Amino acid sequence: MTSLDRTSAGTETSATRLYPWLPVLTTLATLATVLVLALTGNGTAAAAAAGAAAGGVQITVHIRR
């Protein structure tokens, strides 16, 4: 009898499942850092962290096969 189960055979690792959430987690961590700095009276540091996050570095990787 043929199986109708079409789930993956375990090829997906935890890193593969976490990768799409990485930008979300990074953004939340940055916002939390800026908020903590602002609430503790470090307005200059909060502005610097927010500015660095807004003008972040983008890296593009082109894979040739």
Side-chain angles (χ1 to χ4, degrees):
M1 181 177 270
T2 306
S3 173
L4 297 176
D5 184 18
R6 294 183 182 230
T7 58
S8 64
T11 59
E12 196 172 314
T13 63
S14 61
T16 308
R17 286 178 291 198
L18 185 64
Y19 182 71
W21 288 98
L22 190 60
V24 174
L25 295 175
T26 304
T27 302
L28 289 176
T30 303
L31 288 174
T33 302
V34 170
L35 182 63
V36 167
L37 287 171
L39 291 176
T40 58
N42 296 319
T44 306
V57 177
Q58 179 179 358
I59 300 173
T60 304
V61 178
H62 298 281
I63 301 173
R64 295 185 203 167
R65 292 185 183 204

